[in-house]
Amino acid sequence: MRTEPSPGNLPAREHLPAGNAGTPVLDVVIPVYNEEKDLQPCVLRLHEHLARTFPYAFRITIADNASTDTTPLVAARLEAEIAEVRAFRLEQKGRGRALRTVWSASDAPVLAYMDVDLSTDLNALLPLVAPLISGHSDLAIGSRLARSSRVVRGAKREFISRTYNLILRGSLQARFSDAQCGFKAIRRDVAQVLLPLVEDTGWFFDTEMLVLAERAGLRIHEVPVDWVDDPDSTVHIVKTATDDLKGVWRVGRALATGSLALDRLARPFGDDPRDREISGVPKGLARQLVGFCVVGGLSTLFYLLLYSGFRTFSGSQVANALALLVSAVANTAANRRLTFGVRGRGGAVKHQAQGLVVFGIGLALTSGSLAALNAATNDPAHSTELAVLIAANLAATVLRFLLFRAWVFPDRRDESPSTVVASHTPAVPVGPASPVFATAPQSPYSTTPEPYGPTSAPYGTTHSPHDHQTWGDATMQLQPVRPNDHDPRDAR
């Protein structure tokens, strides 16, 4: 039995360290707008659950986004009565705005949020954040559409939810199952790099965050949840659906044009530069081959349509040359973007010029095939011409892929190793004297950049450099904090 580590082993992921017992590991944000009735029962129930079941220090942050009722007073009272509760007030509406503001300023290594109605069973909270604490995943979402989920809601909301997720899968190629479940978590080090790329400030915020994270290669963990619909929900379905569709269009257009700086993100476990040192492993060959086949199939259909159209007013050689030229330009552009992942305009002219050389080779094969057919038969049928062209194009396709991969779009990752920006090195506590404090992205909606501690006011309180303990050992394990160890109701 092998006992020595294989040289092909992936790098180990680090368990999140924790500071002293006063530093929260988890910060659960509850965004609210005019929730004076439901806020207190929600916070009390969530606090009781966390104190009883969560083995680490935690914080509950109420993010009031411009409520006009007595919600701010209820939040202030809860903050005064419960040590683990913080309240924050924003003067502008938007769930996304509230989450980005609080998450950007929080010092907890794991950030989560849930809806105030607590439609999701809280027993899913620990499974939600556990993969983030262990370092296994970067984001985590609750899913109402998983097979093992138990969901109680009306047919109308069920139809809307499933339709929306089908739209995401069809338009943005999303692979996660439930975008809008109000039960999500993210690691703080990932959020610091991901949140500045998210533009939406409303209900589409978490969908956009998930799409960008998935496209950047971050690992998203899904947890089946038990969910009971809130019949008194204040969400405006029509307006929310309209805004979501606008967001899908905006994000889809940005992804298609390559305008999003997704190279700023990387999932070290699956895209670590050390992974590429493993010998004998093809670098993306299977994925490139599938993409090339799909583009090639569509290009062949496009070519045959063009040929049939040009053949109506020109000879076979001219129609073949024109159809092949137009389809070759489209084929090179599609393979550049979709198969080999080259984005932006840099080198596009050079790639098209090289593609025309490949086109010339294909033209020689297909034209030679037509010449041979005409030499063998004086007046070949149109169907015979098409059959010969298909066979010639298949041969040209194999050669085109080899030339594209080895010459036009060669893999140059070994020449210029990519830089991993969002790594899973343990996050250090943030303070005025910390280097992270000076470089961490600040939310445009936060009036003060300082993080808040568990015993201070949420935002804007001055901290001493000694307020936080520095984590020097990257392998330090989380120390359990059980607030109710002496509670007679606790069976532990």
Side-chain angles (χ1 to χ4, degrees):
M1 187 175 76
R2 174 183 293 178
T3 58
E4 294 298 324
S6 168
N9 283 349
L10 294 174
R13 300 185 66 124
E14 300 293 344
H15 193 291
L16 276 177
N20 55 20
T23 302
V25 172
L26 173 66
D27 192 350
V28 182
V29 181
I30 304 175
V32 292
Y33 173 72
N34 289 348
E35 297 287 355
E36 58 183 2
K37 177 182 177 182
D38 295 333
L39 179 56
Q40 180 168 329
C42 164
V43 172
L44 293 178
R45 179 181 163 195
L46 175 60
H47 181 267
E48 188 275 335
H49 178 84
L50 287 171
R52 180 170 48 85
T53 65
F54 193 69
Y56 310 114
F58 63 87
R59 178 191 298 129
I60 300 172
T61 301
I62 303 168
D64 173 23
N65 36 313
S67 293
T68 57
D69 59 2
T70 61
T71 297
L73 299 178
V74 177
R77 184 172 67 249
L78 290 169
E79 180 183 25
E81 295 175 354
I82 304 175
E84 291 83 9
V85 174
R86 296 290 178 266
F88 180 69
R89 165 82 175 180
L90 292 90
E91 298 303 330
Q92 292 176 288
K93 290 181 61 177
R95 181 181 69 170
R97 177 179 287 110
L99 291 176
R100 178 163 53 189
T101 302
V102 177
W103 280 356
S104 297
S106 179
D107 59 346
V110 176
L111 311 168
Y113 95 89
M114 61 182 61
D115 292 335
V116 69
D117 55 16
L118 294 186
S119 295
T120 305
D121 183 10
L122 293 178
N123 287 322
L125 182 55
L126 186 56
L128 182 80
V129 301
L132 309 187
I133 294 175
S134 69
H136 174 271
S137 300
D138 305 297
L139 298 91
I141 64 174
S143 175
R144 299 163 295 186
L145 303 181
R147 289 186 177 181
S148 56
S149 298
R150 293 192 289 266
V151 177
V152 178
R153 61 176 166 180
K156 178 180 178 181
R157 285 184 177 270
E158 181 76 10
F159 174 78
I160 293 174
S161 179
R162 292 188 177 274
T163 301
Y164 178 64
N165 282 282
L166 285 175
I167 292 174
L168 292 180
R169 287 177 176 269
S171 59
L172 301 179
Q173 287 79 51
R175 295 189 298 273
F176 47 85
S177 65
D178 193 350
Q180 288 287 32
C181 180
F183 198 70
K184 295 182 175 68
I186 185 173
R187 289 171 60 110
R188 186 186 63 176
D189 54 349
V190 175
Q192 287 176 343
V193 184
L194 179 60
L195 294 185
L197 301 180
V198 181
E199 295 184 15
D200 192 80
T201 59
W203 290 93
F204 187 69
F205 170 86
D206 41 359
T207 299
E208 183 174 357
M209 177 181 68
L210 290 174
V211 170
L212 298 185
E214 189 174 71
R215 287 300 186 94
L218 301 181
R219 177 173 286 177
I220 301 175
H221 177 74
E222 294 198 14
V223 177
V225 298
D226 299 336
W227 197 85
V228 179
D229 191 17
D230 178 14
D232 299 324
S233 175
T234 58
V235 177
H236 300 286
I237 296 179
V238 176
K239 183 180 183 305
T240 301
T242 302
D243 293 341
D244 286 347
L245 292 177
K246 291 179 180 178
V248 169
W249 168 257
R250 173 176 56 79
V251 173
R253 183 177 57 183
L255 291 173
T257 58
S259 61
L260 288 170
L262 295 181
D263 55 344
R264 293 170 55 186
L265 300 169
R267 180 169 61 85
F269 184 70
D271 191 26
D272 194 291
R274 288 169 291 182
D275 298 353
R276 301 172 189 153
E277 296 175 2
I278 303 174
S279 60
V281 179
K283 298 178 180 178
L285 176 61
R287 181 192 61 79
Q288 290 177 357
L289 189 58
V290 171
F292 183 82
C293 289
V294 173
V295 172
L298 296 176
S299 297
T300 301
L301 293 177
F302 184 48
Y303 162 79
L304 293 175
L305 291 175
L306 289 174
Y307 177 81
S308 298
F310 292 143
R311 191 67 174 86
T312 59
F313 60 83
S314 64
S316 60
Q317 293 287 4
V318 175
N320 174 62
L322 290 176
L324 197 56
L325 176 62
V326 176
S327 61
V329 172
N331 181 276
T332 300
N335 276 308
R336 181 179 187 269
R337 175 67 178 84
L338 302 177
T339 303
F340 298 97
V342 180
R343 297 179 174 84
R345 299 180 180 179
V349 176
K350 175 185 176 183
H351 293 155
Q352 282 294 348
Q354 292 172 314
L356 290 177
V357 175
V358 179
F359 152 75
I361 298 174
L363 178 62
L365 285 174
T366 53
S367 297
S369 300
L370 284 176
L373 177 63
N374 290 327
T377 307
N378 292 330
D379 188 19
H382 182 64
S383 59
T384 304
E385 286 183 348
L386 291 180
V388 170
L389 287 174
I390 290 174
N393 269 284
L394 287 176
T397 297
V398 176
L399 183 59
R400 185 183 303 122
F401 176 74
L402 296 176
L403 289 174
F404 272 175
R405 180 173 169 81
W407 179 49
V408 183
F409 308 109
D411 188 351
R412 294 191 175 91
R413 288 180 295 179
D414 291 333
E415 301 174 11
S416 56
S418 53
T419 301
V420 178
V421 178
S423 66
H424 281 284
T425 54
V428 296
V430 186
S434 170
V436 176
F437 180 81
T439 59
Q442 299 298 331
S443 167
Y445 309 102
S446 178
T447 56
T448 55
E450 295 224 27
Y452 56 91
T455 58
S456 61
Y459 299 90
T461 301
T462 302
H463 294 272
S464 164
H466 303 290
D467 286 347
H468 301 289
Q469 175 182 344
T470 302
W471 300 325
D473 184 3
T475 60
M476 183 188 302
Q477 301 298 312
L478 288 166
Q479 298 301 320
V481 177
R482 296 190 170 101
N484 290 339
D485 275 348
H486 303 292
D487 192 329
R489 297 172 299 173
D490 193 350
R492 289 177 297 194

